Amino acid sequence: MLTDSHCHLDFSEFHHDRAIQLHQAFNAGVRRIVVPGISRKHWGRTLQLNGEFCGVRLYPALGMHPFFMSDHKAEDVEELDRLLSQHPGQIAAVGEIGLDFSRTKSSTEKDEDADSSQSSKEEQLALFESQLKVAQKHGLPVILHVVKAHDQTLKLLKQYPDVKGIVHAYSGSLSQAEQYVKQGFLIGVGGAITWPTSNKKRELFTQLPLESLALETDAPDMAPDGLKGQRNTPDQVAVIAKALAECRGMTVKQVGRVTSTNVENVLHLAEVCPLVF
Ligand SMILES: [Zn+2]
């Protein structure tokens, strides 16, 4: 059994063939998919992707993605809080949330050429912390998107010791990964593990205990090597499981079983019930 801990099945890229993709995912051994919402306008559809479809159980998460800061409004945090109160035990996590400093500047940094649409690091930190507070209030785990901001994230998480979750599409160092694991987080292994240029990543994913890893596709993005440049799909979690099994010298079955249990435990999936509209 495989679990895709991060798949944007609500995106328009899947509008024309969502059922076919779920059917293919089932045939590839996928039985659970976590669908993280990235902004308020996505939440309605994310929430609808809750329940079993084509033999695959879908679990929604709701959050505000740090890469799309201009889509978020201050009052969206209250709406997130309201939706979580309205649907207790039906939403798996707050996510995806986090920090993406790949193209941001600090408000104290002077850069004449900086695009004024770029968010500041301070704005991202404030939004991230407000969502960590919401997660803590509702006793929910979080799904993190962190790019070039692992130290800042780890520092902030120390203030929220009860909040656990998954660091999706992990891009940090081994020592940062070990700190996340100590804090109760799983490390997300995605399509990058199959890329020829990812030797360092493969080494890192071999050094961490299997009990600290989660598989994910991040579909429609982050396609594995064979699909590069094309739309990624949830059945590809089988390809990622195979790549991880190969570099760890384990069977795919073993990797699938342990990583599925990891996600089930950290996100308390056994306690998440389908919504009834
Ligand atoms: Zn994502």
Side-chain angles (χ1 to χ4, degrees), residues 4 6-18 21 33-36 38 42 96 168 195 216-224 227-236:
D4 184 353
H6 197 111
C7 175
H8 295 287
L9 256 191
D10 58 323
F11 280 15
S12 58
E13 282 90 336
F14 294 112
H15 282 357
H16 65 289
D17 69 346
R18 196 169 283 113
Q21 290 307 327
I33 299 178
V34 180
V35 184
I38 60 164
H42 283 258
E96 68 184 281
H168 125 81
W195 302 347
E216 60 163 281
T217 60
D218 200 18
D221 301 319
M222 296 280 287
L227 277 185
K228 232 173 170 186
Q230 297 174 52
R231 177 182 67 156
N232 193 7
T233 49
D235 60 338
Q236 295 300 307

Short mmCIF file of all heavy atoms in Angstrom, two decimals, residues 4 6-18 21 33-36 38 42 96 168 195 216-224 227-236:
data_model
loop_
_atom_site.label_atom_id
_atom_site.label_comp_id
_atom_site.label_asym_id
_atom_site.label_seq_id
_atom_site.Cartn_x
_atom_site.Cartn_y
_atom_site.Cartn_z
N ASP A 4 0.35 8.84 -1.01
CA ASP A 4 0.91 10.07 -1.59
C ASP A 4 0.56 11.19 -0.61
O ASP A 4 -0.59 11.60 -0.51
CB ASP A 4 0.29 10.33 -2.97
CG ASP A 4 0.92 11.54 -3.65
OD1 ASP A 4 1.72 12.25 -3.01
OD2 ASP A 4 0.61 11.77 -4.84
N HIS A 6 1.29 14.25 -0.62
CA HIS A 6 1.21 15.63 -1.12
C HIS A 6 0.88 15.61 -2.62
O HIS A 6 1.76 15.36 -3.44
CB HIS A 6 2.56 16.33 -0.89
CG HIS A 6 2.50 17.81 -0.99
ND1 HIS A 6 2.67 18.64 0.11
CD2 HIS A 6 2.29 18.64 -2.03
CE1 HIS A 6 2.57 19.90 -0.28
NE2 HIS A 6 2.34 19.93 -1.57
N CYS A 7 -0.37 15.86 -2.93
CA CYS A 7 -0.77 15.84 -4.35
C CYS A 7 -1.86 16.90 -4.54
O CYS A 7 -2.87 16.89 -3.85
CB CYS A 7 -1.30 14.45 -4.70
SG CYS A 7 -1.96 14.34 -6.36
N HIS A 8 -1.64 17.80 -5.52
CA HIS A 8 -2.60 18.89 -5.76
C HIS A 8 -3.68 18.45 -6.75
O HIS A 8 -3.83 19.02 -7.82
CB HIS A 8 -1.88 20.14 -6.25
CG HIS A 8 -0.95 20.70 -5.22
ND1 HIS A 8 -1.40 21.36 -4.11
CD2 HIS A 8 0.41 20.66 -5.10
CE1 HIS A 8 -0.37 21.73 -3.36
NE2 HIS A 8 0.74 21.30 -3.94
N LEU A 9 -4.43 17.45 -6.34
CA LEU A 9 -5.48 16.89 -7.19
C LEU A 9 -6.61 17.88 -7.47
O LEU A 9 -7.40 17.68 -8.38
CB LEU A 9 -6.10 15.67 -6.49
CG LEU A 9 -5.74 14.29 -6.94
CD1 LEU A 9 -6.68 13.30 -6.28
CD2 LEU A 9 -5.80 14.12 -8.47
N ASP A 10 -6.68 18.94 -6.65
CA ASP A 10 -7.73 19.95 -6.85
C ASP A 10 -7.37 20.91 -7.98
O ASP A 10 -8.23 21.66 -8.44
CB ASP A 10 -7.96 20.74 -5.55
CG ASP A 10 -6.69 21.41 -5.03
OD1 ASP A 10 -5.61 20.80 -5.16
OD2 ASP A 10 -6.77 22.54 -4.53
N PHE A 11 -6.14 20.91 -8.46
CA PHE A 11 -5.71 21.86 -9.49
C PHE A 11 -6.45 21.61 -10.81
O PHE A 11 -6.84 20.47 -11.11
CB PHE A 11 -4.20 21.74 -9.74
CG PHE A 11 -3.33 22.46 -8.73
CD1 PHE A 11 -3.85 22.89 -7.51
CD2 PHE A 11 -1.98 22.70 -8.99
CE1 PHE A 11 -3.05 23.55 -6.58
CE2 PHE A 11 -1.18 23.36 -8.07
CZ PHE A 11 -1.70 23.78 -6.86
N SER A 12 -6.54 22.68 -11.60
CA SER A 12 -7.27 22.59 -12.87
C SER A 12 -6.62 21.59 -13.84
O SER A 12 -7.29 21.06 -14.72
CB SER A 12 -7.36 23.96 -13.53
OG SER A 12 -6.07 24.48 -13.72
N GLU A 13 -5.33 21.29 -13.65
CA GLU A 13 -4.65 20.30 -14.51
C GLU A 13 -5.34 18.93 -14.45
O GLU A 13 -5.14 18.10 -15.32
CB GLU A 13 -3.19 20.13 -14.08
CG GLU A 13 -2.26 21.23 -14.54
CD GLU A 13 -2.16 22.38 -13.54
OE1 GLU A 13 -3.11 22.56 -12.73
OE2 GLU A 13 -1.15 23.10 -13.59
N PHE A 14 -6.15 18.71 -13.39
CA PHE A 14 -6.80 17.40 -13.24
C PHE A 14 -8.31 17.47 -13.50
O PHE A 14 -8.99 16.46 -13.33
CB PHE A 14 -6.54 16.83 -11.84
CG PHE A 14 -5.09 16.50 -11.60
CD1 PHE A 14 -4.33 17.23 -10.69
CD2 PHE A 14 -4.47 15.47 -12.29
CE1 PHE A 14 -2.99 16.94 -10.49
CE2 PHE A 14 -3.13 15.17 -12.10
CZ PHE A 14 -2.39 15.90 -11.19
N HIS A 15 -8.80 18.63 -13.91
CA HIS A 15 -10.25 18.75 -14.09
C HIS A 15 -10.81 17.77 -15.14
O HIS A 15 -11.91 17.28 -15.01
CB HIS A 15 -10.64 20.18 -14.50
CG HIS A 15 -10.63 21.14 -13.35
ND1 HIS A 15 -10.37 20.75 -12.06
CD2 HIS A 15 -10.86 22.48 -13.30
CE1 HIS A 15 -10.43 21.80 -11.28
NE2 HIS A 15 -10.71 22.86 -11.99
N HIS A 16 -10.03 17.54 -16.19
CA HIS A 16 -10.56 16.72 -17.29
C HIS A 16 -10.42 15.21 -17.07
O HIS A 16 -11.07 14.44 -17.76
CB HIS A 16 -9.90 17.12 -18.62
CG HIS A 16 -8.43 16.83 -18.67
ND1 HIS A 16 -7.51 17.53 -17.93
CD2 HIS A 16 -7.73 15.88 -19.34
CE1 HIS A 16 -6.31 17.05 -18.16
NE2 HIS A 16 -6.40 16.04 -19.00
N ASP A 17 -9.56 14.80 -16.13
CA ASP A 17 -9.34 13.35 -16.01
C ASP A 17 -9.05 12.88 -14.59
O ASP A 17 -8.33 11.91 -14.38
CB ASP A 17 -8.21 12.90 -16.96
CG ASP A 17 -6.85 13.41 -16.52
OD1 ASP A 17 -6.78 14.31 -15.65
OD2 ASP A 17 -5.83 12.88 -17.03
N ARG A 18 -9.63 13.57 -13.59
CA ARG A 18 -9.34 13.25 -12.18
C ARG A 18 -9.67 11.77 -11.86
O ARG A 18 -8.88 11.08 -11.21
CB ARG A 18 -10.11 14.20 -11.27
CG ARG A 18 -9.63 14.23 -9.86
CD ARG A 18 -10.27 15.37 -9.07
NE ARG A 18 -9.68 16.66 -9.36
CZ ARG A 18 -10.31 17.66 -9.98
NH1 ARG A 18 -11.55 17.55 -10.34
NH2 ARG A 18 -9.68 18.79 -10.22
N GLN A 21 -7.11 9.44 -13.31
CA GLN A 21 -5.85 9.50 -12.54
C GLN A 21 -5.96 8.73 -11.23
O GLN A 21 -5.02 8.05 -10.82
CB GLN A 21 -5.45 10.96 -12.28
CG GLN A 21 -5.00 11.70 -13.52
CD GLN A 21 -3.91 10.97 -14.28
OE1 GLN A 21 -3.06 10.29 -13.71
NE2 GLN A 21 -3.95 11.08 -15.60
N ILE A 33 -4.33 9.59 -0.51
CA ILE A 33 -3.71 10.80 -1.06
C ILE A 33 -4.10 11.98 -0.18
O ILE A 33 -5.29 12.18 0.12
CB ILE A 33 -4.17 11.06 -2.51
CG1 ILE A 33 -3.79 9.89 -3.44
CG2 ILE A 33 -3.59 12.38 -3.03
CD1 ILE A 33 -4.25 10.06 -4.89
N VAL A 34 -3.11 12.76 0.24
CA VAL A 34 -3.39 13.99 0.98
C VAL A 34 -3.36 15.15 -0.02
O VAL A 34 -2.42 15.27 -0.81
CB VAL A 34 -2.34 14.22 2.10
CG1 VAL A 34 -2.65 15.50 2.87
CG2 VAL A 34 -2.30 13.01 3.04
N VAL A 35 -4.45 15.95 0.01
CA VAL A 35 -4.59 17.04 -0.97
C VAL A 35 -4.49 18.39 -0.24
O VAL A 35 -5.44 18.82 0.41
CB VAL A 35 -5.96 16.95 -1.70
CG1 VAL A 35 -6.06 18.02 -2.78
CG2 VAL A 35 -6.17 15.55 -2.29
N PRO A 36 -3.32 19.05 -0.30
CA PRO A 36 -3.18 20.32 0.40
C PRO A 36 -3.72 21.50 -0.42
O PRO A 36 -3.39 21.64 -1.60
CB PRO A 36 -1.67 20.46 0.61
CG PRO A 36 -1.02 19.46 -0.30
CD PRO A 36 -2.07 18.63 -0.96
N ILE A 38 -3.93 25.50 -1.31
CA ILE A 38 -2.86 26.51 -1.28
C ILE A 38 -3.35 27.94 -1.05
O ILE A 38 -2.55 28.82 -0.77
CB ILE A 38 -2.01 26.46 -2.57
CG1 ILE A 38 -2.87 26.73 -3.81
CG2 ILE A 38 -1.26 25.13 -2.69
CD1 ILE A 38 -2.05 27.08 -5.04
N HIS A 42 -8.99 28.00 -3.32
CA HIS A 42 -8.89 26.55 -3.57
C HIS A 42 -9.62 25.72 -2.52
O HIS A 42 -9.88 24.53 -2.75
CB HIS A 42 -7.42 26.11 -3.55
CG HIS A 42 -6.67 26.46 -4.80
ND1 HIS A 42 -6.40 25.56 -5.79
CD2 HIS A 42 -6.16 27.63 -5.22
CE1 HIS A 42 -5.74 26.15 -6.75
NE2 HIS A 42 -5.58 27.41 -6.44
N GLU A 96 -0.86 23.78 2.39
CA GLU A 96 0.52 23.86 2.74
C GLU A 96 0.89 25.28 3.12
O GLU A 96 0.45 26.24 2.47
CB GLU A 96 1.40 23.31 1.62
CG GLU A 96 1.46 24.09 0.33
CD GLU A 96 2.30 23.36 -0.72
OE1 GLU A 96 3.55 23.41 -0.68
OE2 GLU A 96 1.69 22.71 -1.57
N HIS A 168 7.42 19.01 3.23
CA HIS A 168 7.23 18.48 1.88
C HIS A 168 8.39 18.84 0.96
O HIS A 168 9.03 19.88 1.14
CB HIS A 168 5.85 18.98 1.39
CG HIS A 168 5.85 19.69 0.11
ND1 HIS A 168 5.87 19.02 -1.10
CD2 HIS A 168 5.78 21.00 -0.18
CE1 HIS A 168 5.82 19.92 -2.07
NE2 HIS A 168 5.77 21.11 -1.56
N TRP A 195 15.92 12.03 -10.11
CA TRP A 195 16.67 12.83 -11.07
C TRP A 195 18.15 12.47 -11.01
O TRP A 195 18.72 12.31 -9.92
CB TRP A 195 16.50 14.33 -10.78
CG TRP A 195 15.08 14.81 -10.80
CD1 TRP A 195 13.98 14.15 -11.28
CD2 TRP A 195 14.58 16.06 -10.29
NE1 TRP A 195 12.84 14.90 -11.09
CE2 TRP A 195 13.17 16.08 -10.49
CE3 TRP A 195 15.17 17.18 -9.67
CZ2 TRP A 195 12.36 17.15 -10.11
CZ3 TRP A 195 14.38 18.25 -9.30
CH2 TRP A 195 13.00 18.24 -9.53
N GLU A 216 5.77 11.35 -1.60
CA GLU A 216 4.85 12.35 -2.16
C GLU A 216 5.15 12.56 -3.64
O GLU A 216 6.29 12.39 -4.08
CB GLU A 216 5.03 13.67 -1.44
CG GLU A 216 6.45 14.23 -1.56
CD GLU A 216 6.53 15.71 -1.22
OE1 GLU A 216 6.17 16.53 -2.09
OE2 GLU A 216 6.94 16.03 -0.09
N THR A 217 4.13 12.94 -4.40
CA THR A 217 4.38 13.29 -5.80
C THR A 217 4.45 14.79 -6.03
O THR A 217 5.12 15.24 -6.95
CB THR A 217 3.27 12.74 -6.72
OG1 THR A 217 2.03 13.31 -6.32
CG2 THR A 217 3.24 11.23 -6.72
N ASP A 218 3.70 15.59 -5.24
CA ASP A 218 3.53 17.03 -5.51
C ASP A 218 2.93 17.24 -6.91
O ASP A 218 3.11 18.27 -7.53
CB ASP A 218 4.85 17.79 -5.38
CG ASP A 218 4.64 19.29 -5.18
OD1 ASP A 218 3.52 19.69 -4.80
OD2 ASP A 218 5.59 20.06 -5.43
N ALA A 219 2.23 16.23 -7.42
CA ALA A 219 1.59 16.35 -8.74
C ALA A 219 0.63 17.55 -8.72
O ALA A 219 0.00 17.81 -7.70
CB ALA A 219 0.82 15.07 -9.05
N PRO A 220 0.54 18.32 -9.81
CA PRO A 220 1.10 18.07 -11.15
C PRO A 220 2.56 18.50 -11.34
O PRO A 220 3.08 18.40 -12.44
CB PRO A 220 0.19 18.93 -12.04
CG PRO A 220 -0.20 20.10 -11.18
CD PRO A 220 -0.33 19.54 -9.79
N ASP A 221 3.23 18.98 -10.25
CA ASP A 221 4.63 19.42 -10.38
C ASP A 221 5.60 18.29 -10.00
O ASP A 221 5.17 17.20 -9.65
CB ASP A 221 4.87 20.63 -9.47
CG ASP A 221 3.95 21.79 -9.82
OD1 ASP A 221 3.75 22.03 -11.03
OD2 ASP A 221 3.42 22.42 -8.89
N MET A 222 6.90 18.62 -10.01
CA MET A 222 7.97 17.73 -9.53
C MET A 222 7.95 16.33 -10.17
O MET A 222 8.14 15.32 -9.47
CB MET A 222 7.86 17.56 -8.01
CG MET A 222 8.07 18.84 -7.21
SD MET A 222 9.79 19.26 -6.99
CE MET A 222 10.30 18.04 -5.79
N ALA A 223 7.76 16.27 -11.47
CA ALA A 223 7.68 14.96 -12.13
C ALA A 223 8.97 14.17 -11.98
O ALA A 223 10.06 14.73 -12.03
CB ALA A 223 7.37 15.16 -13.60
N PRO A 224 8.86 12.84 -11.79
CA PRO A 224 10.07 12.01 -11.75
C PRO A 224 10.79 12.02 -13.10
O PRO A 224 10.24 12.51 -14.10
CB PRO A 224 9.52 10.61 -11.45
CG PRO A 224 8.13 10.78 -11.03
CD PRO A 224 7.64 12.08 -11.58
N LEU A 227 9.23 11.39 -16.57
CA LEU A 227 8.12 12.28 -16.98
C LEU A 227 8.55 13.73 -17.03
O LEU A 227 7.71 14.62 -17.15
CB LEU A 227 6.96 12.18 -15.98
CG LEU A 227 5.94 11.08 -16.07
CD1 LEU A 227 4.85 11.32 -15.02
CD2 LEU A 227 5.28 11.04 -17.45
N LYS A 228 9.84 13.99 -16.89
CA LYS A 228 10.30 15.37 -16.72
C LYS A 228 9.78 16.30 -17.81
O LYS A 228 9.80 15.96 -18.99
CB LYS A 228 11.82 15.45 -16.64
CG LYS A 228 12.22 16.23 -15.42
CD LYS A 228 13.70 16.23 -15.16
CE LYS A 228 13.95 17.24 -14.05
NZ LYS A 228 15.34 17.44 -13.80
N GLY A 229 9.27 17.45 -17.39
CA GLY A 229 8.70 18.40 -18.33
C GLY A 229 7.23 18.15 -18.60
O GLY A 229 6.55 18.94 -19.23
N GLN A 230 6.71 17.02 -18.12
CA GLN A 230 5.29 16.70 -18.31
C GLN A 230 4.53 16.83 -17.00
O GLN A 230 5.12 17.02 -15.95
CB GLN A 230 5.15 15.26 -18.80
CG GLN A 230 5.79 14.98 -20.15
CD GLN A 230 5.73 13.49 -20.46
OE1 GLN A 230 4.68 12.87 -20.40
NE2 GLN A 230 6.87 12.92 -20.79
N ARG A 231 3.22 16.67 -17.08
CA ARG A 231 2.40 16.72 -15.88
C ARG A 231 2.70 15.50 -15.00
O ARG A 231 2.72 14.36 -15.48
CB ARG A 231 0.92 16.70 -16.29
CG ARG A 231 -0.02 16.67 -15.10
CD ARG A 231 -1.47 16.60 -15.52
NE ARG A 231 -1.81 15.34 -16.18
CZ ARG A 231 -3.03 14.81 -16.25
NH1 ARG A 231 -4.05 15.48 -15.73
NH2 ARG A 231 -3.25 13.67 -16.86
N ASN A 232 2.93 15.75 -13.73
CA ASN A 232 3.13 14.64 -12.79
C ASN A 232 1.75 14.14 -12.35
O ASN A 232 0.78 14.91 -12.33
CB ASN A 232 3.94 15.14 -11.60
CG ASN A 232 4.47 14.02 -10.72
OD1 ASN A 232 4.34 12.85 -11.06
ND2 ASN A 232 5.04 14.39 -9.59
N THR A 233 1.66 12.88 -11.98
CA THR A 233 0.37 12.27 -11.59
C THR A 233 0.56 11.40 -10.34
O THR A 233 1.68 10.94 -10.06
CB THR A 233 -0.17 11.40 -12.76
OG1 THR A 233 0.89 10.54 -13.22
CG2 THR A 233 -0.66 12.25 -13.92
N PRO A 234 -0.51 11.18 -9.56
CA PRO A 234 -0.33 10.48 -8.28
C PRO A 234 0.16 9.03 -8.39
O PRO A 234 0.74 8.51 -7.43
CB PRO A 234 -1.73 10.55 -7.63
CG PRO A 234 -2.67 10.92 -8.71
CD PRO A 234 -1.89 11.69 -9.73
N ASP A 235 -0.05 8.36 -9.52
CA ASP A 235 0.45 6.98 -9.65
C ASP A 235 1.99 6.94 -9.60
O ASP A 235 2.58 5.88 -9.34
CB ASP A 235 -0.06 6.31 -10.95
CG ASP A 235 0.36 7.06 -12.20
OD1 ASP A 235 0.67 8.27 -12.10
OD2 ASP A 235 0.38 6.44 -13.29
N GLN A 236 2.62 8.10 -9.83
CA GLN A 236 4.09 8.15 -9.84
C GLN A 236 4.70 7.96 -8.45
O GLN A 236 5.92 7.82 -8.32
CB GLN A 236 4.57 9.49 -10.44
CG GLN A 236 4.21 9.66 -11.91
CD GLN A 236 4.83 8.58 -12.78
OE1 GLN A 236 6.04 8.34 -12.72
NE2 GLN A 236 4.00 7.89 -13.56
#
